[in-house]
Amino acid sequence: MAELEFRKAIWQALDEELARDENVIFFGEDVAKAGGVFQVTPGLRDRHGEDRVFDTPISELALSTAAFGSAVCGLRPVFEIMFADFFALAMDSLVNQAAKYWYLSNGQAPVPLVVRSAVGGGGRFGAIHSQVPAPWFQAIPGLKIVAPATPAHAKGLLKASIRDNNPVLFFEHKRLYSLSAEVDGSEPELVPLGSAETVREGSDLTIATAMKGVHDSLAAAAELATLGIDCEVIDLRTLRPLDIDAVAASVEKTGRLLVVEEGPRTGGWAGEVVASISERCLGRLDDCWRLATDDLPLPYSPPLEDAFLPGTEAIVRAVRERGGVMPEGAA
Amino acid sequence: MAELEFRKAIWQALDEELARDENVIFFGEDVAKAGGVFQVTPGLRDRHGEDRVFDTPISELALSTAAFGSAVCGLRPVFEIMFADFFALAMDSLVNQAAKYWYLSNGQAPVPLVVRSAVGGGGRFGAIHSQVPAPWFQAIPGLKIVAPATPAHAKGLLKASIRDNNPVLFFEHKRLYSLSAEVDGSEPELVPLGSAETVREGSDLTIATAMKGVHDSLAAAAELATLGIDCEVIDLRTLRPLDIDAVAASVEKTGRLLVVEEGPRTGGWAGEVVASISERCLGRLDDCWRLATDDLPLPYSPPLEDAFLPGTEAIVRAVRERGGVMPEGAA
Amino acid sequence: MSPAKRSTKDAAAAGGNGQVGEEAEAYLARLRTMILIRKFEDLVQSLFLRGEVYGSTHLCSGQEAVSVGVAAALGADDRIAATYRGHGHALACGMSPQKFLDELIGRETGICGGRAGSMNVVDLEHGLIGCFGIVGGSLAAATGAALALRRTGNVAVGFFGDGAVNQAYFYECANFARVLGLPVLYVCENNGYGEYTPTEAVTPGGIVGRPAALDIPVSQVDGQDVWAVHAAALEAVAEVRAGGGPFFLEARTYRYTDHGRGDPIKYRSDEEMEEWRQRDPIDIARTRLAAEHGVEAARLDALVADVDAEIAELRSRALAAPFPSPDVTVPEFAPAEA
Amino acid sequence: MSPAKRSTKDAAAAGGNGQVGEEAEAYLARLRTMILIRKFEDLVQSLFLRGEVYGSTHLCSGQEAVSVGVAAALGADDRIAATYRGHGHALACGMSPQKFLDELIGRETGICGGRAGSMNVVDLEHGLIGCFGIVGGSLAAATGAALALRRTGNVAVGFFGDGAVNQAYFYECANFARVLGLPVLYVCENNGYGEYTPTEAVTPGGIVGRPAALDIPVSQVDGQDVWAVHAAALEAVAEVRAGGGPFFLEARTYRYTDHGRGDPIKYRSDEEMEEWRQRDPIDIARTRLAAEHGVEAARLDALVADVDAEIAELRSRALAAPFPSPDVTVPEFAPAEA
Ligand SMILES: Cc1ncc(C[n+]2csc(CCOP(=O)(O)OP(=O)(O)O)c2C)c(N)n1
Ligand SMILES: Cc1ncc(C[n+]2csc(CCOP(=O)(O)OP(=O)(O)O)c2C)c(N)n1
Ligand SMILES: [Mg+2]
Ligand SMILES: [Mg+2]
């Protein structure tokens, strides 16, 4: 058994795909010579050459459209948007060029590009370096959004993303970069996009979440188990398309759904999960709700940021305070 | 009684607010000399002067940040993004500057800006001139999104938007510009943001929608009434913040909710409405679902576009085909 | 889009009979394409007025020499990206006029099955990455394409208007292309206006100084003279292909029609319009072919008649083509093997 | 931010005793602000290493003369927008160092109540529209501010780095400002690198040619010499205030510290760093004050001691300040009357 660090898992996926397919290229701001501000990609330039791994000016819009144009012409570009908050500058190319091309061209060419980007709060980076911009892209047909929680998944999902024939936003949660987990070599090489995984079985309540939320939810589930509440935890892994089948199957069993999202309550992907399940499983549902952040920008000050994010404690509290789910006598 | 055209209602709102408050300015691409590509703003430049109503280069990002910076320094800028699809180019300033400023500055200054923009399909403009980008901004705390359905509301909502102290995206549906409706002068000058209106009372099913969807839903409700289904129709008017109270009150009565959105099913604001109502009114809900478009870009060809959009017929069909709501013997 | 392919087809179409020189034959073919574009635009406009072409039409009448002169400088594996005013570029690339017209009137037989319409049309087989409805999107797509093409010695061309030069895509992409030394030719079709706004009003310092400030070589050319455009394009493409990085070509031209669907105001003087009518690229080509190459009037007239016949046939076939059915289920995503 | 206000405070702080001339007094005050900025940055860094300042720190040590020289050219109703590397700008504007430090360590008494942190700080009372964490956001905000200020004869200043010059905001905003003739001064602090990338590697054609191509007047100045910066800023501000539209000032400078939180690689040579250490703006100011204005060493030393005392007090007060409470309900929207 070996330990694999999340950041190293990303590195391995890039390194292996760069080696496997010469059409794969990788670029971004300070990703090549310096190896990226989160030190995820050191050495890839030396290993694969500066024609295929290179640094760029600070021009997020140009990066995105360079990926789009080159993908349409046969490459499989991977590029980095350093902090996912900067997606706002690159949006037009992703939304109005890349995502629509396959359909509008009537299938003349796919757009196999991947954008890697660091998302999420908890690092005290403040409101404009901490967002998870999944909702900005949630209603964009043609795009996929991948959001891994573990090193092994990060690797398998990134490799699958690079081989996917659609534009993929690949979110790396900053608080997971230094997470290490054991791998034994039996992990599948590719983790399919669009499929969730049940990471804890339970009978009383389904918790669906992603990225850091998976770890927080598992910790919360352990604590809730001591109170007699048996939670099933689903790692969605892909936020677009969502594996609603997996959530529905779980809800059929538990009858209760909590979706935990790091991001504003209004308009997030958690709402999409709740809506889809309500539409489909209403008769079986005893309860469904979301735990997310307040509808505010993320604050800088530690006590404010800590209270703002939906961590383990907040999940436990959310379940305890919600009527119906607590067994008699507990609470 | 006089007729008021939707486009003229917008014009009047701008004209009156420009006259009322010299801090109001209005700018955009070809909005001043030429009066805008949809001919909504002719003559305003001559009436209010070229310092206050002016044309700009084709630079959506600069327009947005010009509005942000000037709003923070005391103006109340209104600007136009010609087709709402172009919001993707302006997103950073709206999301990372305007929307967060009031909170982050700890209330040092509000950001009273309004972006007017033409949204929606049905005009055969194709996939990149027909979007309703509400979902892109739905999870952005601090922003308001206004989406009027009638000339009178358009006027009252735009005036209220200009007086609001927050950044407001004001959506004008292209298919409504030429709509005329009678006004008798007794309309309130301002229509408050964040408040829905029940435009048809009914007992069997609540239909919540906005903009063109209101007219389609009313027509559908009339047809459904002949089948014995009594629909309540709610014009949301503002998509952010949503008036969930109004929808909840209606659902308490009808027990059934259909949300009609022009835009992709996945990730839209309809999902937010369904999720909010499910969270709140689950016990009272017999059914809830969305009618939206397929998760595809909007097609150009008329038969494709017509079938793509959720018009009157599609609404009638959606209700008829959904089990449970049809009275015995009908269908 | 190979010059070989094109010249064969063009020569035949021009009814080459060996009586004029090689250059004249080549330019007769180019003239024919220009006439085709002009008449295609007229047809589109008449169908638009009849409600058969939908939404908006951005015609390029008056600007034909730019598309044709540049396209003729390209090889089969080069790539082109154009704007919403892209009919000329598409036809000059070699896109089937029939498939194109079918697309514009929304038919299943259209080049994109009726999904795209004029503003989003794609024809990769003929090297057209696409027409892009977002101002600046075309040159951006060409920049990206060049990132792929630099491996193969090919060139990407992005056409765009003077208005695009004020926009984010232009600046970031041109700088990006220069930094990476990408093989992209930026062709600015300066028709004097972005919609109803004169170029000078929104472009302080003018156009070519801007790419020049990014250390990109530039040249300016009379966009009404297909000889001049072609010569400038040949030179530019050669520099780009030789590894010189991006190149910027400004072609001064004029649009004879409204911006899109009818102009709300009169923003161009009669004198100005008339002056540019005197510089009609088609007339200029006719005159030069006659005066400098001894092409007979009859041959030129035959060319026009030939195009007229083609247009008539295009029209009737297009109007007879079936609309696509909305009942087909369309997958959201491209499959693993495309 | 009025010169009046500032000079009173500065003169007192510098212990003005009337023995040197007026200019010397003014520059003693500026020197004091530069020393304050430097020591403030040192303090921030030491608190960061202790885990009291969070996230990242973008220090401006080495670049002090730019902030101070430009700010001294502004009046009370002018406006400044700065970057994530904005501590110098904020202090030069006149922001309370205490409120600023409190913000950086996340306290309720911070200028933004602990909500903003270094990268988003705002102090409108002192004319600071904000620090902007998005590269290019600062000059963009200044451009917008200028749209409001042109009514009142005031000027907006946007500070930004060399890296921002390759970015969409820069180009669109500079062009927009030129078209509208807005009173904005763009101050590019060219410290030779954007993160770890040398300016030359990503900025073909250099910096000032770019605004010049938009017909914006430009000048370049030694950013290590506060006299030179101030003189250039005075001239630029005067032109802008007189209605000349935007102006672009490039100040060549250097950052002595890491980019943010520790550099992953060594991208600057020891010789280069040493060369710039020899051009420390604080040393240059000390030397000039001594050599050209006869300021005694004792007075200069007293200045340093005075700042040291201020810094010590800042530190202890800040560490004693309360954290904000997360239990307060915060409304999402600004109320009707703000
Ligand atoms: C980003 C963006 N903004 C605005 C528009 C609307 N629009 C379409 S064409 C046009 C004018 C473009 O002018 P120019 O680049 O000179 O090209 P021309 O139409 O003259 O060929 C504008 C503003 C658009 N399509 N995209
Ligand atoms: C739009 C955007 N892209 C990337 C970043 C990450 N980033 C922060 S500072 C920086 C370098 C900026 O360099 P420069 O403009 O020269 O300013 P300096 O840091 O040297 O003062 C980068 C790339 C960012 N904050 N915003
Ligand atoms: Mg033009
Ligand atoms: Mg720098």
Side-chain angles (χ1 to χ4, degrees):
Chain A
M1 300 272 274
E3 287 263 306
L4 180 62
E5 195 189 18
F6 194 94
R7 93 168 16 90
K8 183 75 183 174
I10 308 277
W11 186 93
Q12 286 179 0
L14 284 168
D15 184 58
E16 290 173 19
E17 294 305 303
L18 281 160
R20 190 185 63 82
D21 180 352
E22 67 165 17
N23 286 323
V24 176
I25 60 172
F26 174 57
F27 57 96
E29 297 161 15
D30 286 311
V31 299
K33 269 189 222 149
V37 296
F38 295 102
Q39 282 300 285
V40 176
T41 58
L44 292 175
R45 174 173 175 268
D46 290 343
R47 291 168 64 84
H48 303 283
E50 59 190 340
D51 278 357
R52 295 180 59 214
V53 177
F54 52 89
D55 292 317
T56 71
I58 305 170
S59 305
E60 282 78 8
L61 185 60
L63 267 58
S64 301
T65 197
F68 161 67
S70 61
V72 164
C73 292
L75 297 190
R76 306 189 83 82
V78 182
F79 73 104
E80 176 176 301
I81 299 250
M82 193 184 291
F83 286 82
D85 313 68
F86 312 159
F87 265 107
L89 286 161
M91 185 118 176
D92 186 69
S93 178
L94 295 167
V95 167
N96 285 328
Q97 296 189 322
K100 296 186 174 53
Y101 196 80
W102 168 253
Y103 174 82
L104 288 179
S105 72
N106 210 6
Q108 289 182 48
V111 186
L113 68 82
V114 178
V115 200
R116 294 180 43 242
S117 194
V119 304
R124 317 292 189 224
F125 289 109
I128 298 167
H129 286 69
S130 300
Q131 295 168 87
V132 182
W136 311 356
F137 295 99
Q138 216 186 321
I140 308 299
L143 277 187
K144 298 186 180 182
I145 306 177
V146 177
T150 68
H153 288 170
K155 182 171 177 183
L157 286 166
L158 181 51
K159 288 175 66 105
S161 298
I162 294 171
R163 297 190 200 180
D164 198 278
N165 264 337
N166 298 278
V168 178
L169 315 188
F170 190 88
F171 288 171
E172 302 167 10
H173 197 291
K174 295 180 203 81
R175 306 294 289 169
L176 298 179
Y177 274 137
S178 297
L179 176 83
S180 281
E182 303 218 318
V183 288
D184 62 9
S186 71
E187 293 79 16
E189 190 185 358
L190 302 174
V191 175
L193 307 195
S195 96
E197 186 185 52
T198 304
V199 291
R200 186 188 200 278
E201 308 235 339
S203 54
D204 296 334
L205 169 71
T206 300
I207 303 181
T209 185
M211 297 188 288
K212 183 164 176 297
V214 173
H215 305 279
D216 295 336
S217 296
L218 284 171
E223 203 172 320
L224 288 163
T226 68
L227 300 172
I229 303 174
D230 187 19
C231 297
E232 180 140 314
V233 179
I234 296 183
D235 176 358
L236 292 167
R237 301 201 293 201
T238 303
L239 298 177
R240 180 162 224 296
L242 282 163
D243 187 352
I244 293 296
D245 288 347
V247 183
S250 174
V251 166
E252 283 302 327
K253 192 169 66 170
T254 63
R256 286 192 158 78
L257 174 66
L258 166 63
V259 189
V260 178
E261 174 178 8
E262 183 185 323
R265 182 170 305 108
T266 300
W269 53 262
E272 178 61 33
V273 176
V274 168
S276 299
I277 293 297
S278 300
E279 279 179 311
R280 225 165 108 163
C281 314
L282 194 65
R284 183 60 192 89
L285 264 186
D286 295 317
D287 198 4
C288 65
W289 82 109
R290 308 171 256 190
L291 176 67
T293 76
D294 285 344
D295 286 326
L296 290 172
L298 176 140
Y300 165 73
S301 174
L304 297 183
E305 187 182 33
D306 289 343
F308 188 75
L309 295 170
T312 300
E313 249 184 81
I315 299 168
V316 171
R317 202 178 331 117
V319 175
R320 293 185 64 152
E321 285 172 6
R322 190 85 179 178
V325 63
M326 292 297 292
E328 292 288 315
Chain B
M1 299 271 275
E3 287 263 306
L4 180 62
E5 196 190 17
F6 194 94
R7 98 171 10 91
K8 184 74 183 171
I10 308 278
W11 185 93
Q12 287 179 0
L14 284 168
D15 185 57
E16 290 173 19
E17 294 303 304
L18 281 160
R20 191 185 62 83
D21 180 352
E22 67 164 17
N23 286 324
V24 176
I25 60 172
F26 173 56
F27 57 95
E29 297 161 13
D30 286 310
V31 299
K33 271 190 221 149
V37 296
F38 295 102
Q39 282 299 285
V40 176
T41 58
L44 291 176
R45 173 173 174 268
D46 290 342
R47 291 169 63 84
H48 303 283
E50 59 190 341
D51 278 357
R52 295 181 58 214
V53 178
F54 52 89
D55 292 317
T56 71
I58 305 170
S59 305
E60 282 78 9
L61 186 60
L63 267 59
S64 301
T65 197
F68 160 68
S70 62
V72 163
C73 293
L75 297 190
R76 306 188 83 83
V78 182
F79 72 104
E80 175 176 301
I81 299 251
M82 193 185 290
F83 286 82
D85 313 70
F86 312 159
F87 265 107
L89 287 160
M91 184 116 178
D92 186 69
S93 178
L94 295 167
V95 167
N96 286 328
Q97 295 189 321
K100 296 184 173 54
Y101 195 80
W102 168 253
Y103 174 82
L104 288 178
S105 73
N106 210 7
Q108 289 182 48
V111 186
L113 68 83
V114 178
V115 199
R116 295 179 44 241
S117 193
V119 305
R124 317 292 188 222
F125 289 110
I128 298 165
H129 286 69
S130 300
Q131 295 168 86
V132 182
W136 311 357
F137 295 99
Q138 216 187 322
I140 308 298
L143 277 187
K144 298 187 180 183
I145 305 177
V146 177
T150 69
H153 288 170
K155 182 171 178 184
L157 286 166
L158 181 51
K159 288 175 65 106
S161 298
I162 294 171
R163 297 191 201 180
D164 197 279
N165 264 337
N166 299 278
V168 178
L169 315 188
F170 190 89
F171 288 171
E172 302 168 10
H173 197 290
K174 295 180 204 81
R175 305 295 287 168
L176 298 180
Y177 274 137
S178 297
L179 177 84
S180 281
E182 302 217 321
V183 287
D184 62 9
S186 71
E187 294 77 15
E189 189 186 0
L190 302 174
V191 175
L193 307 194
S195 95
E197 186 185 53
T198 304
V199 292
R200 185 187 201 279
E201 306 235 342
S203 55
D204 295 335
L205 169 71
T206 301
I207 303 181
T209 185
M211 297 189 285
K212 183 164 177 298
V214 173
H215 304 279
D216 295 336
S217 296
L218 284 171
E223 203 172 319
L224 288 164
T226 68
L227 300 172
I229 304 175
D230 187 19
C231 298
E232 179 140 314
V233 179
I234 296 184
D235 177 358
L236 292 166
R237 301 200 294 199
T238 303
L239 298 177
R240 179 160 226 299
L242 282 162
D243 187 353
I244 293 297
D245 288 346
V247 182
S250 174
V251 167
E252 284 301 328
K253 190 168 68 169
T254 63
R256 285 193 158 75
L257 174 66
L258 166 63
V259 189
V260 178
E261 173 177 7
E262 183 185 323
R265 182 171 305 107
T266 300
W269 53 262
E272 178 61 33
V273 176
V274 168
S276 298
I277 292 298
S278 300
E279 279 179 313
R280 226 165 106 162
C281 316
L282 194 65
R284 183 62 191 90
L285 265 185
D286 294 318
D287 199 3
C288 64
W289 83 108
R290 309 171 257 191
L291 177 67
T293 76
D294 284 344
D295 287 326
L296 291 172
L298 176 140
Y300 165 73
S301 174
L304 298 184
E305 187 183 34
D306 290 341
F308 188 74
L309 295 170
T312 300
E313 249 185 82
I315 299 168
V316 171
R317 202 178 331 117
V319 175
R320 292 185 64 152
E321 286 173 3
R322 189 84 179 180
V325 64
M326 293 297 293
E328 292 289 314
Chain C
M1 208 173 59
S2 78
K5 254 196 275 165
R6 184 180 304 111
S7 55
T8 319
K9 177 185 166 232
D10 289 351
N17 55 12
Q19 296 185 350
V20 296
E22 215 179 294
E23 185 189 331
E25 289 300 344
Y27 277 92
L28 273 165
R30 285 165 201 154
L31 171 60
R32 188 187 190 283
T33 307
M34 292 200 289
I35 297 172
L36 177 68
I37 294 170
R38 177 74 54 89
K39 289 184 181 276
F40 188 87
E41 295 296 53
D42 291 344
L43 173 59
V44 168
Q45 178 64 8
S46 77
L47 290 172
F48 180 73
L49 294 175
R50 279 184 34 149
E52 302 269 4
V53 166
Y54 309 95
S56 51
T57 53
H58 300 94
L59 308 179
C60 70
S61 310
Q63 308 187 182
E64 296 88 349
V66 187
S67 324
V68 172
V70 172
L74 300 176
D77 295 325
D78 295 326
R79 293 283 175 272
I80 281 182
T83 68
Y84 48 85
R85 196 179 305 289
H87 304 171
H89 310 115
L91 294 172
C93 274
M95 186 195 286
S96 148
Q98 189 69 60
K99 287 192 187 167
F100 195 15
L101 186 61
D102 292 4
E103 182 69 29
L104 298 183
I105 65 170
R107 305 306 163 106
E108 188 172 15
T109 46
I111 184 77
C112 296
R115 294 179 180 179
S118 165
M119 288 202 278
N120 305 299
V121 79
V122 173
D123 183 8
L124 283 173
E125 195 191 325
H126 292 93
L128 183 73
I129 301 168
C131 291
F132 292 86
I134 297 281
V135 166
S138 57
L139 65 92
T143 306
L147 188 56
L149 298 183
R150 71 168 165 174
R151 295 182 169 195
T152 58
N154 295 299
V155 169
V157 178
F159 289 97
F160 53 99
D162 44 286
V165 172
N166 297 320
Q167 209 250 9
Y169 268 127
F170 169 67
Y171 187 68
E172 286 204 359
C173 288
N175 187 63
F176 184 88
R178 184 65 190 83
V179 168
L180 290 163
L182 300 184
V184 53
L185 172 60
Y186 296 116
V187 180
C188 178
E189 298 181 286
N190 178 1
N191 61 10
Y193 296 85
E195 289 186 358
Y196 324 118
T197 299
T199 314
E200 313 80 66
V202 286
T203 319
I207 291 174
V208 290
R210 297 168 176 223
L214 307 175
D215 197 28
I216 293 176
V218 301
S219 71
Q220 289 176 295
V221 70
D222 172 6
Q224 303 308 88
D225 180 348
V226 66
W227 278 262
V229 173
H230 187 56
L234 277 177
E235 216 173 292
V237 168
E239 259 201 56
V240 172
R241 214 184 290 284
F247 193 102
F248 187 102
L249 177 62
E250 177 189 354
R252 191 64 180 85
T253 184
Y254 203 76
R255 101 177 116 68
Y256 291 155
T257 56
D258 289 349
H259 163 70
R261 313 188 286 164
D263 293 343
I265 51 165
K266 190 160 151 39
Y267 52 96
R268 307 189 290 188
S269 71
D270 290 341
E271 299 72 53
E272 179 184 297
M273 307 251 300
E274 185 46 35
E275 211 173 277
W276 281 96
R277 280 276 176 207
Q278 295 302 326
R279 309 220 58 248
D280 187 318
I282 292 175
D283 293 344
I284 291 176
R286 283 181 70 113
T287 308
R288 284 191 70 165
L289 279 166
E292 297 170 23
H293 297 276
V295 178
E296 289 165 19
R299 179 114 192 251
L300 293 168
D301 293 343
L303 213 62
V304 174
D306 186 52
V307 172
D308 281 335
E310 181 174 353
I311 289 281
E313 196 179 316
L314 281 177
R315 183 180 191 282
S316 54
R317 284 203 194 187
L319 290 171
F323 280 102
S325 161
D327 299 330
V328 182
T329 304
V330 177
E332 178 181 351
F333 294 108
E337 304 296 31
Chain D
M1 207 174 64
S2 80
K5 253 195 275 166
R6 185 181 302 110
S7 54
T8 318
K9 179 187 163 227
D10 289 353
N17 55 12
Q19 297 187 347
V20 295
E22 214 179 295
E23 185 188 330
E25 288 300 343
Y27 277 92
L28 273 165
R30 286 164 201 154
L31 171 60
R32 188 188 189 283
T33 307
M34 292 201 288
I35 297 172
L36 177 68
I37 294 170
R38 177 73 54 88
K39 289 184 182 277
F40 189 89
E41 295 296 55
D42 291 344
L43 173 59
V44 168
Q45 178 64 8
S46 78
L47 290 171
F48 180 73
L49 293 175
R50 278 184 35 149
E52 301 269 4
V53 166
Y54 309 95
S56 52
T57 53
H58 299 95
L59 307 179
C60 71
S61 310
Q63 307 188 181
E64 295 88 348
V66 187
S67 324
V68 172
V70 172
L74 300 176
D77 295 324
D78 295 326
R79 293 283 174 271
I80 282 182
T83 68
Y84 48 86
R85 197 178 306 290
H87 303 172
H89 311 116
L91 294 173
C93 274
M95 185 194 288
S96 148
Q98 189 69 59
K99 287 192 187 168
F100 196 15
L101 185 61
D102 291 3
E103 182 70 28
L104 298 183
I105 66 170
R107 306 305 163 106
E108 188 170 17
T109 47
I111 183 77
C112 296
R115 293 179 180 179
S118 164
M119 288 203 278
N120 305 298
V121 80
V122 174
D123 183 8
L124 283 173
E125 196 192 324
H126 293 93
L128 183 73
I129 301 167
C131 291
F132 293 86
I134 297 281
V135 166
S138 56
L139 65 93
T143 305
L147 188 56
L149 298 184
R150 70 167 165 176
R151 297 183 168 195
T152 58
N154 296 299
V155 168
V157 178
F159 289 97
F160 52 98
D162 44 287
V165 171
N166 296 320
Q167 210 249 10
Y169 268 126
F170 168 67
Y171 186 67
E172 286 203 359
C173 288
N175 188 62
F176 184 89
R178 184 65 192 81
V179 167
L180 290 163
L182 300 183
V184 52
L185 172 61
Y186 296 116
V187 180
C188 178
E189 298 181 285
N190 178 1
N191 60 10
Y193 297 86
E195 289 187 358
Y196 323 117
T197 299
T199 314
E200 314 81 67
V202 286
T203 318
I207 292 174
V208 290
R210 297 169 178 221
L214 307 175
D215 198 27
I216 293 176
V218 302
S219 71
Q220 289 175 293
V221 71
D222 173 5
Q224 304 307 89
D225 180 350
V226 67
W227 277 261
V229 172
H230 187 58
L234 278 177
E235 215 172 292
V237 168
E239 260 202 53
V240 172
R241 214 184 290 284
F247 193 103
F248 187 101
L249 176 62
E250 177 190 354
R252 192 64 180 86
T253 183
Y254 202 76
R255 97 175 119 69
Y256 290 154
T257 56
D258 288 349
H259 163 70
R261 315 187 285 164
D263 294 342
I265 51 164
K266 189 160 154 38
Y267 51 96
R268 307 190 288 188
S269 70
D270 291 340
E271 299 71 53
E272 179 185 295
M273 307 252 298
E274 186 46 36
E275 212 172 277
W276 282 95
R277 279 277 176 206
Q278 296 301 325
R279 309 220 57 250
D280 188 317
I282 292 175
D283 294 343
I284 291 175
R286 284 182 69 113
T287 307
R288 284 191 68 164
L289 279 166
E292 297 170 22
H293 297 275
V295 179
E296 288 164 19
R299 179 118 191 249
L300 294 168
D301 292 344
L303 212 62
V304 173
D306 187 53
V307 172
D308 280 334
E310 180 175 353
I311 289 281
E313 196 179 317
L314 281 177
R315 183 180 191 282
S316 54
R317 284 204 195 186
L319 290 172
F323 281 102
S325 161
D327 299 330
V328 181
T329 304
V330 177
E332 179 181 351
F333 295 109
E337 305 295 33

